């Protein structure tokens, strides 16, 4: 086993890997950016080194600097965690070239799975079902038209080098075809510098089910059951569970066998995940993630296997000492991602100081967190601050433990997704195991969550809520205090109204049918497709807004005439900023503010 391992990552996954190393008596070397000085997870490392001086977002991507630290600190291997450099074949090669061991798959496997078209070809070659579609890139609308003529609409246009939903466009009819093709190409170039796209039949209500694979360097390939990751929003997973609810054992076995064949096809080693779409009893390979995943704990709980230990042992050359027949799935595990996000503001990420942090514990509860009380969440990184995982004898047991644990969880100072999860765990669709990849976004009304949280709704991270315990006649009562914004003393609700009207020409007083079309998220205007004076119907495309390298179609929120466009292509807008004014046609212009009438 290794003497010393450098963990090239941050947050909860850095802690997860550092702990795994420590359990195997491996000396640990942590690294950190300037924004992560004093980070809580670094205390789990035997030593920690500053990466800097780059901007915090780039520090963890500086291959040369990471290798310098590894060499000078005497590391024998590097574990990349997930994100940052985990799926970077050049980094994997550089690690090996520096005489260190790469705790991950061979770079050739990363490359083959890094491009979706070559991944599809590998799956086909392995006899694994893929979504019907093309295996070669195209730029030609006629190829898409021809495919749709054969297979029918809707079709998906996907970027070969896409990921996380970037460069994915759905075409519902011939009218939207050219726009979608161009949008997918633009997105792919923006995000990945490569515009190749291909076409697939679009599944309208699939489940996202993935198989965990483990392969040693001696030719043993195992699958460790599946995870259902269908609960997601804007391609960010929110809830994962193992096993998939109501999943047929024969389909599970067929999917597992297929994942193993695909892994063999690319000479995989270590821990990896094959993603599938599942609809109406059929499954289709989508892509392979060549890293440890965020949701790996649910697999650990139902298999009893420690995936980080096995990554380390496999990288050290140990053969897997058990076979497929020894992999037994037992019980049920659910993971809820606790993100520092404002659910009421479209899940907008919220940085800030954690003023209160009391994670749950007790039977069947695991918390993997990268924060603690007093830690200020930096702005530069993704918003996952913790994972709450519960384990039960069956799904309902795990779900009830999750609700209990969510109720215990206290986070103060930043808004979180905890209330979303409390809501989700009680949804009939969730209870019935009837969640698809479109359920959270299109089938659930999330407004009760926002309504239950007046302090954070729309107010961003600035508004602090405090809880006081008082005793009234000997009975303990908890009192929530919602404090106004220190900056201007205005209550949160008033500020929220002002914020949504920012930049707008007119503001209706007391009216609900606002004329202002608001940016739902921070981003860059790619293009506007209407002119001032143009009549539009609710749902008509007004402009394209790029956020996190994904294009979002912003449509008219009401019928009317576009009287003002407040933005133009290239402009950066904040969440809540006014994009356009759409006024009623004909009379009934604006209701004048009460003060002046
Ligand atoms: C699809 C699909 C339906 N049909 N492909 C989204 C990101 C990328 N990993 C693939 N994705 C999808 N591909 C076809 N032919 C639906 C999705 C999809 C999705 C997939 C997995 C998890 C969440 C998703 C959310 C929306 C769409």
């Amino acid at each position: 086993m290794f003497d010393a391992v450098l963990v090239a990552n941050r947050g909860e996954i850095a802690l997860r890997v550092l702990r795994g190393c420590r359990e195997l008596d491996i000396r640990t070397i942590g690294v950190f950016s300037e924004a992560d000085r004093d980070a809580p997870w670094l205390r789990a490392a035997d030593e920690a080194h500053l990466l800097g001086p780059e901007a915090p977002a780039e520090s963890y991507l500086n291959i040369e600097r990471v290798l310098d630290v590894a060499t000078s600190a005497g590391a024998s291997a590097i574990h990349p965690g997930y994100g940052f450099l985990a799926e970077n074949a050049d980094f994997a090669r550089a690690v090996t070239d520096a005489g260190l061991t790469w705790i991950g798959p061979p770079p050739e496997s990363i490359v083959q799975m890094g491009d979706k078209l070559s991944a599809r070809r590998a799956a086909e070659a392995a006899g694994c079902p893929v979504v019907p579609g093309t295996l070669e890139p195209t730029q030609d609308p006629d190829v898409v038209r021809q495919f749709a003529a054969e297979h029918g609409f809707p079709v998906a246009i996907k970027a070969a080098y896409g990921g996380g939903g970037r460069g994915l466009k759905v075409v519902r009819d011939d009218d939207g075809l050219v726009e979608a093709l161009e949008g997918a190409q633009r997105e792919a170039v923006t995000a990945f510098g490569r515009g190749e796209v291909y076409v697939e039949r679009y599944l309208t209500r699939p489940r996202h089910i993935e198989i965990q694979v483990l392969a040693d360097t001696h030719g043993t390939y195992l699958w460790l059951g599946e995870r259902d990751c269908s609960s997601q929003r804007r391609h960010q997973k929110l809830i994962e569970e193992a096993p998939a609810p109501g999943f047929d054992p024969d389909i599970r076995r067929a999917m597992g066998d297929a994942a193993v064949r695909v892994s063999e096809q690319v000479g995989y080693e270590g821990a990896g995940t094959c993603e599938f779409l599942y609809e109406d009893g059929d499954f289709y390979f989508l892509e392979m993630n060549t890293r440890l995943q965020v949701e790996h704990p649910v697999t650990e709980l139902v298999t009893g296997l420690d995936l980080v230990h096995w990554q380390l042992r496999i990288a050290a050359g140990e053969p897997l000492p058990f076979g497929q027949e020894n992999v037994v799935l037992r019980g049920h595990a659910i993971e809820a991602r606790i993100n520092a996000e404002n659910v009421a503001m479209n899940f907008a990420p919220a940085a800030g100081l954690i003023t209160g942090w009391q994670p749950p514990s007790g039977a069947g509860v695991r918390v993997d967190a990268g924060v603690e009380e007093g830690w200020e969440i930096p702005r530069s990184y993704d918003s996952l601050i913790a994972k709450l995982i519960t384990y039960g004898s069956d799904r309902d047991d795990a779900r009830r433990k999750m609700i209990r644990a969510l109720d215990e969880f206290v986070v103060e100072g930043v808004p979180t997704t905890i209330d979303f999860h409390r809501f989700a765990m009680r949804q009939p669709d969730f209870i019935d195991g009837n969640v698809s990849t479109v359920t959270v976004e299109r089938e659930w009304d999330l407004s009760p969550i926002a309504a239950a949280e007046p302090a954070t709704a729309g107010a961003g991270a600035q508004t602090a809520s405090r809880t006081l315990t008082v005793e009234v006649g000997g009975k303990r009562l908890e009192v929530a205090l919602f404090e106004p914004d220190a900056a201007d003393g205005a209550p949160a609700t008033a500020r929220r109204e002002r914020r949504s009207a920012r930049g707008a020409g007119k503001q209706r007083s007391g009216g609900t049918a606002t004329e202002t079309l608001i940016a739902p998220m921070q981003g860059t205007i790619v293009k506007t497709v209407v002119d001032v004076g143009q009549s539009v119907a609710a749902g008509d495309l007004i402009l394209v807004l790029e956020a996190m390298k994904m294009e979002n179609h912003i449509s008219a929120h009401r019928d009317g005439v576009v009287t003002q466009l407040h933005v133009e292509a290239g402009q950066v807008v904040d969440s809540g900023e006014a994009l356009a004014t759409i006024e009623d046609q004909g009379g009934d212009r604006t209701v004048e503010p009460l003060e002046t009438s």
Side-chain angles (χ1 to χ4, degrees):
M1 189 41 72
F2 308 111
D3 290 332
V5 167
L6 181 142
V7 179
N9 217 301
R10 67 181 304 281
E12 67 86 18
I13 194 60
L15 180 57
R16 169 71 191 92
V17 176
L18 290 165
R19 283 170 164 165
C21 290
R22 182 157 284 217
E23 286 154 5
L24 298 188
D25 299 320
I26 298 167
R27 185 165 67 86
T28 51
I29 301 155
V31 290
F32 59 96
S33 69
E34 291 192 333
D36 284 338
R37 272 211 173 88
D38 309 319
W41 62 86
L42 293 171
R43 289 198 300 271
D46 291 307
E47 56 187 278
H49 300 259
L50 176 66
L51 289 172
E54 297 85 356
E58 274 99 61
S59 295
Y60 294 96
L61 293 168
N62 185 339
I63 292 179
E64 249 175 79
R65 177 76 189 133
V66 171
L67 289 176
D68 276 352
V69 171
T71 310
S72 65
S76 37
I78 295 184
H79 193 303
Y82 54 66
F84 295 122
L85 298 169
E87 296 184 279
N88 184 324
D90 293 336
F91 181 57
R93 286 197 192 97
V95 169
T96 316
D97 290 349
L100 307 170
T101 301
W102 164 246
I103 302 168
E108 299 74 31
S109 305
I110 301 179
V111 169
Q112 272 199 71
M113 289 307 180
D115 157 13
K116 292 191 169 151
L117 276 171
S118 99
R120 271 166 71 76
R121 289 193 286 263
E124 275 244 311
C128 169
V130 298
V131 188
T134 57
L135 291 171
E136 298 299 329
T138 183
Q139 314 259 27
D140 184 355
D142 284 333
V143 172
V144 185
R145 247 177 234 120
Q146 180 59 35
F147 182 82
E150 270 172 46
H151 295 265
F153 287 107
V155 300
I157 300 178
K158 295 187 173 185
Y161 292 86
R166 293 173 203 153
L168 168 69
K169 296 285 162 196
V170 182
V171 189
R172 309 215 173 254
D173 52 41
D174 202 64
D175 292 345
L177 195 147
V178 171
E179 170 76 30
L181 183 60
E182 287 173 1
Q185 285 165 344
R186 261 200 316 266
E187 247 180 48
V189 171
T190 310
F192 310 99
R194 306 201 45 168
E196 291 96 328
V197 300
Y198 63 101
V199 196
E200 279 180 4
R201 183 161 82 77
Y202 182 71
L203 310 178
T204 51
R205 200 179 182 278
R207 287 164 69 181
H208 170 140
I209 297 181
E210 56 187 32
I211 297 278
Q212 177 69 54
V213 172
L214 202 56
D216 66 15
T217 55
H218 306 271
T220 297
Y221 287 83
L222 304 176
W223 60 278
L224 309 184
E226 81 283 13
R227 296 183 286 258
D228 190 331
C229 309
S230 301
S231 294
Q232 61 84 46
R233 194 190 152 274
R234 301 183 64 83
H235 304 286
Q236 301 297 318
K237 293 170 187 165
L238 287 162
I239 304 166
E240 303 98 343
E241 59 183 307
F247 211 45
D248 183 315
D250 291 336
I251 294 177
R252 171 178 299 120
R253 206 170 311 113
M255 208 185 244
D257 289 342
V260 161
R261 287 199 304 275
V262 173
S263 307
E264 285 170 342
Q265 180 71 31
V266 299
Y268 203 83
E269 292 168 2
T273 298
C274 289
E275 284 188 10
F276 295 87
L277 291 180
Y278 173 76
E279 193 176 66
D280 302 331
D282 291 317
F283 64 84
Y284 311 92
F285 173 87
L286 263 190
E287 55 198 80
M288 184 166 190
N289 299 315
T290 55
R291 59 164 193 275
L292 188 69
Q293 288 196 267
V294 174
E295 58 270 27
H296 76 275
V298 294
T299 298
E300 298 192 314
L301 291 175
V302 298
T303 59
L305 296 167
D306 187 306
L307 286 172
V308 171
H309 288 182
W310 286 113
Q311 285 189 299
L312 293 162
R313 292 187 192 283
I314 287 168
E318 290 184 27
L320 284 166
F322 54 89
Q324 190 64 55
E325 68 281 4
N326 304 110
V327 178
V328 181
L329 305 181
R330 190 184 151 92
H332 198 98
I334 303 176
E335 172 176 287
R337 294 196 188 191
I338 311 301
N339 300 333
E341 290 176 356
N342 195 322
V343 175
M345 289 257 294
N346 229 338
F347 291 74
L353 178 68
I354 297 187
T355 54
W357 180 260
Q358 287 158 250
S361 56
V365 174
R366 166 173 170 180
V367 179
D368 281 20
V371 303
E372 64 183 11
E373 191 166 311
W375 169 242
E376 180 150 7
I377 304 168
R379 204 161 280 286
S380 328
Y381 304 106
D382 85 22
S383 55
L384 181 81
I385 56 172
K387 303 182 306 204
L388 170 57
I389 311 113
T390 58
Y391 177 76
S393 54
D394 59 22
R395 187 168 187 265
D396 202 53
D397 188 21
R399 187 184 69 87
R400 287 170 184 280
K401 286 187 161 75
M402 178 61 80
I403 292 173
R404 185 272 292 170
L406 289 163
D407 288 347
E408 281 181 14
F409 213 143
V410 176
V411 182
E412 287 168 345
V414 293
T416 70
T417 46
I418 288 174
D419 280 348
F420 165 81
H421 292 298
R422 295 161 59 141
F423 170 87
M425 290 297 134
R426 294 179 172 91
Q427 287 300 296
D429 283 333
F430 186 82
I431 294 170
D432 297 344
N434 178 35
V435 171
S436 80
T437 56
V438 301
T439 299
V440 175
E441 261 167 307
R442 300 216 206 110
E443 297 172 354
W444 286 357
D445 172 10
L446 304 182
S447 55
I449 308 170
E453 234 191 331
T456 48
Q462 296 100 324
T463 305
S465 73
R466 278 198 301 148
T467 309
L468 270 187
T469 306
V470 297
E471 280 183 21
V472 180
K475 181 179 179 186
R476 290 174 72 84
L477 289 173
E478 304 240 305
V479 180
L481 291 182
F482 300 115
E483 295 179 288
D485 187 357
D488 61 8
T493 45
R495 198 173 58 257
R496 178 159 80 251
E497 271 161 30
R498 259 209 313 288
R499 183 181 167 82
S500 24
R502 174 147 39 111
K506 297 189 186 103
Q507 189 183 350
R508 281 188 178 222
S509 158
T512 49
T514 172
E515 296 163 341
T516 310
L517 177 65
I518 299 291
M521 66 200 72
Q522 196 253 19
T524 307
I525 307 296
V526 177
K527 60 173 183 172
T528 57
V529 302
V530 293
D531 296 315
V532 170
Q534 193 172 327
S535 293
V536 294
D540 284 357
L541 182 64
I542 302 295
L543 53 81
V544 180
L545 173 66
E546 183 212 306
M548 313 242 302
K549 302 199 167 142
M550 290 212 303
E551 289 191 357
N552 301 279
H553 284 195
I554 310 300
S555 306
H557 59 301
R558 46 129 67 193
D559 298 344
V561 176
V562 178
T563 55
Q564 292 185 68
L565 269 176
H566 304 288
V567 296
E568 57 185 21
Q571 189 175 332
V572 176
V573 295
D574 266 343
S575 174
E577 203 166 317
L579 299 173
T581 304
I582 304 175
E583 291 186 29
D584 270 342
Q585 273 162 312
D588 178 34
R589 274 285 181 260
T590 306
V591 179
E592 291 303 322
L594 282 173
E595 304 88 82
T596 62
S597 60

